[in-house]
Amino acid sequence: MKFDQPAGRNPIDQGNVIGKATDRIDGPLKTTGTAPYAYERHDAAPDAAYGYMVASAVAKGRINRIDTSEAKAAPGVLAVVTTLDVPKPIRGSQNAASLFGGAEVQHYHQAVAVVVAETFEQARAAAYLVRVDYARAPGKFDLEREAPNAPLEGGSSGEGSGAPPVDEIGHFDAAFAAAPVKIDQYYSTPDETHAMMEPHATIASWQGDKLTIWTSNQMIAWNKGDLAKVFGLKKENVRVDSPFIGGGFGGKLFLRADAVLAALGSRAARRPVKLTLARPQIANNTTHRPATIQRVRLAATPDGRLTAIAHDSTSGNLPDGKPETAVSQTKLMYAGANRLTFMKLAKLDLPEGNAMRAPGEAPGLMVLEMAMDEMAEKLGMDPVEFRIVNDTQVDPEKPNRPYSQRHLIECLRTGADRFGWSRRKAKPASVREGRWLIGMGVAAGFRNNLLMKSAARIRLERDGGLTVETDMTDIGTGSYTILAQTAAEMMGVTVDRVKVKLGDSDHPVSAGSGGQWGGNNSTAGLYAACVKLRELVVQRLGFDASDVSFADGRVRAGNRSFPLRDAAKDGPIVAEDSIEYGDLDKTYQQSTFAAHFVEVAVDGFTGETRVRRMLAVCDAGRILNPKTARSQVIGAMTMGVGGALTEELAVDTRFGFFVNHDLAGYEVPVHADIPHQDVIFLDYPDDKSSPMKAKGVGELGLCGVGAAVANAIYNATGVRVRDYPITLDKHLDRLPTIA
């Protein structure tokens, strides 16, 4: 199905199932511990051996020699494969780092060997008997040191954010110099790790020249294609199965070392092999969100109209890596005639920087939205009103290109009213409750709506039930449920009559999960398949296709009505189709918006920050399932609190690795850190997005939260910290005196 015109009235608009808060259909499996995650696929590979990764002990250099004699002689060992056994480095099409192979060491904890044994304990013990002789080389590990000489470099996150090396509209320098009110500040965000609950894990099995892996991966088709390329196989000889994923946040978008090592180990041992990365290996072996050093310059007239906006960002990565696109949202967020953005990329020998939830916008808005608050204060304006004054209904760099929809002002006004923003004291450090300093903060959220081709198959069974098949994944987002809702709405049945099968590369290729594009595109692909199935049903039942309704398990036209199952009495009916997009996303700027409000309390003696209230108001098209969407947003808000207050990969700039590479040292928010969270969804279906009239919401819940926390801390204390995370040591000596 081609989607190249705004969607008119269609069956999704009935709203009998779509748009209703619906329990997850996969909930019982997850709550009973019976959902089959990758490492637990005993049903698929009951005789699997165990693999264990040997990780590089140096961050830069070459391997002279690897002695595996002790490891091979250890109890239970079936095979040992080293990086020197694979002369050509293995790298997926979207990896900057080599996953395995060759003598060069690019980063700490790069995989250098895999040991396969009968038990996990035997494999782990033998892995420590592998002796590696390194020739260590000097490396570059300090972004701050390398930033001054970093060259300009443009790039794209691949999921909606991106910018050229330099982009200027108007005459920024002149406008900035002439402005009566302006700010010029530097900010920084740290390296962050995904810290998903389920580690990277794979079971691999060879049958001749056919490879099957059961893995934890967000993008099945990408993974299948890279595995075929890496191992020189035909695509049809590779099967990837990933029905349940325990979190990814972008860290499982691409082929990773766990899949490569499990496959190599299986081929060597001639057994299925299961392998998981140990938690301390994940931070350095896989990808992370790169640190940034950002500068924002804003200029305005006394009445608060922005006249000049500049935002630049410097990040670091491996030689073939991409920049963190932190300036992307600034190109679109606010009005202003004179605009300048640029990015720089320093070459570092740290682990690969790549996609982490809302790459670009997440760290970019942590900075831009703090700068907006600083400018509002300098103008003597309320931060909410300052943002409203500078709203735009068109792409500010392409004024002839309107937004398909933009309701940021309503997000801000609705949130301010619900949160009690009028009670906020503009003067910082004005509100105290005993030893606690109380403050409120606001920030705008932004994330682009990305359209991707997506396919699905649907089958009407003899009993009138429906089976949906697509390689779409569910990373905890509720994909199973919204796909079931889509099929139920289109075919006029209840959700319990729909069986959804996901994550299998034998199924039609979907958009996959990432960048908040999965829900809208995968359901749109299923919508296309359902349209085709409806046509086949109408033909089977002998109806006139111009006036047919599907409801209550029946098909009706005029005064004729039949049970849906009657169409399949002679055998199941199968329909398959995909959604393909025209140029509507080029004609209209398609984005999502939010307003985030936060109240914090800061201990006046210790500097400890406690988040007390949070609210997100989201403008993201039609919300397919408010219950699962709310879960997405509150999870993202929680991640935003972590980014603002605790999360930071500490870099050892002498030896080039992330020191706190486990969940004891890398601190993510826990239940005690998070108060009740409110979420409001504005009801504005976007007919230019897809037949579903939906957009993504998963990243939007994160974008802006960190700045809202930071702005609340400033309102509480009067101390501005521009270096994330805002830990107590960064403001303790500047807190106001408490009598």
Side-chain angles (χ1 to χ4, degrees):
M1 173 184 286
K2 188 80 168 182
F3 184 76
D4 53 9
Q5 297 291 329
R9 179 81 181 172
N10 66 35
I12 293 298
D13 294 324
Q14 298 172 124
N16 295 321
V17 186
I18 286 291
K20 304 297 184 185
T22 304
D23 290 346
R24 293 171 185 261
I25 63 173
D26 52 321
L29 291 175
K30 291 181 175 178
T31 54
T32 58
T34 53
Y37 288 90
Y39 201 69
E40 303 161 350
R41 294 304 300 271
H42 312 297
D43 59 320
D47 60 338
Y50 290 80
Y52 195 89
M53 182 180 79
V54 180
S56 173
V58 304
K60 182 74 173 175
R62 291 186 65 82
I63 297 172
N64 294 325
R65 179 173 176 270
I66 300 179
D67 183 354
T68 62
S69 56
E70 286 186 73
K72 288 180 176 178
V77 171
L78 302 173
V80 180
V81 181
T82 79
T83 188
L84 299 182
D85 299 328
V86 183
K88 185 179 179 180
I90 292 174
R91 189 169 80 171
S93 59
Q94 300 183 68
N95 301 131
S98 170
L99 302 179
F100 196 69
E104 181 186 2
V105 176
Q106 292 181 292
H107 62 86
Y108 184 75
H109 270 180
Q110 178 178 314
V112 298
V114 58
V115 176
V116 180
E118 292 286 358
T119 70
F120 171 78
E121 292 78 11
Q122 289 172 333
R124 180 178 58 183
Y128 287 98
L129 299 177
V130 175
R131 311 300 179 194
V132 185
D133 177 21
Y134 299 98
R136 189 194 300 267
K140 298 178 179 180
F141 311 123
D142 189 337
L143 177 61
E144 187 174 0
R145 179 181 297 172
E146 302 301 325
N149 298 316
L152 292 165
E153 182 148 347
S156 168
S157 67
E159 46 181 89
S161 64
V166 179
D167 195 6
E168 184 169 13
I169 304 294
H171 304 282
F172 171 79
D173 287 338
F176 188 77
V181 187
K182 52 194 170 188
I183 66 165
D184 182 350
Q185 296 290 355
Y186 284 86
Y187 308 80
S188 66
T189 64
D191 296 288
E192 295 178 356
T193 189
H194 303 82
M196 69 287 288
M197 185 179 294
E198 180 197 24
H200 294 72
T202 299
I203 298 176
S205 178
W206 289 87
Q207 296 292 329
D209 62 351
K210 294 184 178 181
L211 171 64
T212 301
I213 69 165
W214 298 268
T215 191
S216 187
N217 186 273
Q218 298 171 230
M219 301 293 292
I220 300 302
W222 292 2
N223 210 20
K224 175 176 179 170
D226 277 354
L227 284 167
K229 178 182 175 182
V230 163
F231 291 104
L233 301 172
K234 296 178 181 179
K235 278 191 177 182
E236 56 266 29
N237 286 350
V238 177
R239 181 178 173 225
V240 178
D241 192 30
S242 190
F244 290 93
I245 303 167
F249 311 116
K252 296 174 181 175
L253 286 173
F254 318 122
L255 181 66
R256 295 305 320 162
D258 59 297
V260 171
L261 296 180
L264 287 170
S266 175
R267 188 164 64 181
R270 298 183 180 181
R271 287 263 300 276
V273 167
K274 61 191 307 182
L275 184 145
T276 185
L277 299 187
R279 183 65 64 178
Q281 296 172 335
I282 292 173
N284 286 285
N285 177 266
T286 67
T287 57
H288 69 284
R289 191 196 302 282
T292 67
I293 299 170
Q294 302 180 49
R295 181 189 185 190
V296 176
R297 289 169 284 172
L298 301 177
T301 57
D303 64 353
R305 303 281 177 179
L306 287 169
T307 59
I309 304 171
H311 189 176
D312 64 79
S313 174
T314 302
S315 57
N317 214 331
L318 291 168
D320 291 328
K322 299 181 294 185
E324 179 71 18
T325 54
V327 305
S328 181
Q329 73 290 318
T330 307
K331 294 163 62 61
L332 291 162
M333 194 69 192
Y334 296 111
N338 304 285
R339 319 170 67 82
L340 173 66
T341 57
F342 61 90
M343 298 189 295
K344 294 183 176 181
L345 180 62
K347 302 303 180 185
L348 297 180
D349 299 305
L350 290 172
E352 178 180 351
N354 212 315
M356 181 171 165
R357 196 173 195 171
E361 292 98 338
L365 283 165
M366 290 171 79
V367 167
L368 175 65
E369 287 299 294
M370 192 192 296
M372 288 291 287
D373 251 47
E374 295 195 61
M375 189 61 166
E377 182 180 46
K378 196 163 189 178
L379 288 161
M381 290 184 70
D382 179 85
V384 170
E385 291 304 315
F386 178 51
R387 289 170 171 84
I388 289 172
V389 164
N390 288 287
D391 186 57
T392 175
Q393 293 298 307
V394 299
D395 179 341
E397 295 190 358
K398 301 172 184 175
N400 293 327
R401 186 181 185 221
Y403 279 93
S404 62
Q405 289 190 359
R406 176 174 167 132
H407 302 100
L408 177 59
I409 290 177
E410 186 173 345
C411 289
L412 289 162
R413 292 208 187 283
T414 300
D417 180 65
R418 175 71 69 90
F419 201 69
W421 184 255
S422 61
R423 299 194 299 273
R424 172 185 176 271
K425 301 297 183 183
K427 183 181 179 181
S430 296
V431 181
R432 301 191 182 195
E433 294 180 4
R435 64 189 292 159
W436 296 96
L437 303 164
I438 312 301
M440 294 186 194
V442 65
F446 172 95
R447 177 71 172 167
N448 276 328
N449 181 51
L450 193 60
L451 302 179
M452 299 175 66
K453 180 180 178 180
S454 191
R457 181 187 302 129
I458 184 166
R459 183 168 58 253
L460 175 62
E461 309 288 2
R462 287 178 181 270
D463 65 356
L466 298 166
T467 300
V468 173
E469 295 173 336
T470 171
D471 79 353
M472 179 61 184
T473 50
D474 191 320
I475 57 175
T477 50
S479 299
Y480 279 99
T481 309
I482 59 172
L483 287 165
Q485 288 176 267
T486 301
E489 188 76 79
M490 290 294 292
M491 302 308 299
V493 301
T494 53
V495 169
D496 64 317
R497 298 291 290 152
V498 183
K499 183 177 183 179
V500 180
K501 297 181 178 181
L502 298 183
D504 191 331
S505 64
D506 286 348
H507 296 156
V509 176
S510 72
S513 295
Q516 76 173 30
W517 67 66
N520 179 38
N521 291 293
S522 66
T523 54
L526 178 57
Y527 172 95
C530 287
V531 168
K532 187 170 285 188
L533 180 61
R534 285 165 64 107
E535 293 171 353
L536 294 173
V537 167
V538 166
Q539 292 173 14
R540 283 277 187 100
L541 294 177
F543 282 131
D544 179 356
S546 63
D547 183 27
V548 178
S549 67
F550 289 70
D552 304 320
R554 301 185 70 85
V555 186
R556 295 180 176 86
N559 59 3
R560 299 176 63 204
S561 173
F562 292 98
L564 178 63
R565 65 175 178 271
D566 283 6
K569 63 184 179 182
D570 294 329
I573 307 175
V574 180
E576 182 176 330
D577 204 354
S578 64
I579 192 75
E580 297 184 60
Y581 297 95
D583 294 330
L584 284 176
D585 59 334
K586 297 180 177 63
T587 306
Y588 299 93
Q589 173 59 41
Q590 296 191 19
S591 305
T592 61
F593 302 89
H596 292 286
F597 292 83
V598 173
E599 180 180 279
V600 302
V602 180
D603 191 305
F605 291 106
T606 68
E608 173 192 4
T609 297
R610 286 288 178 184
V611 177
R612 306 212 315 184
R613 292 191 296 137
M614 302 183 76
L615 168 67
V617 184
C618 299
D619 172 31
R622 169 177 279 137
I623 302 302
L624 303 176
N625 184 345
K627 191 167 190 176
T628 56
R630 180 183 182 276
S631 292
Q632 279 294 284
V633 173
I634 65 173
M637 292 161 73
T638 301
M639 184 176 278
V641 171
L645 298 180
T646 62
E647 293 188 43
E648 176 181 15
L649 283 170
V651 183
D652 186 321
T653 56
R654 302 164 303 161
F655 299 111
F657 69 99
F658 300 128
V659 180
N660 53 334
H661 47 206
D662 57 36
L663 293 180
Y666 184 84
E667 298 178 356
V668 298
V670 297
H671 286 292
D673 298 316
I674 303 300
H676 177 71
Q677 300 159 308
D678 283 330
V679 181
I680 298 172
F681 295 115
L682 302 186
D683 184 20
Y684 290 108
D686 191 335
D687 65 353
K688 299 170 187 68
S689 171
S690 78
M692 304 299 294
K693 304 176 186 176
K695 297 177 184 175
V697 76
E699 324 292 280
L700 184 64
L702 168 62
C703 296
V705 174
V709 175
N711 294 335
I713 291 172
Y714 174 74
N715 181 244
T717 65
V719 180
R720 179 67 74 180
V721 179
R722 302 183 181 91
D723 176 25
Y724 289 99
I726 305 174
T727 49
L728 59 87
D729 57 296
K730 295 175 181 175
H731 63 196
L732 182 58
D733 61 345
R734 294 182 286 161
L735 293 179
T737 302
I738 293 184

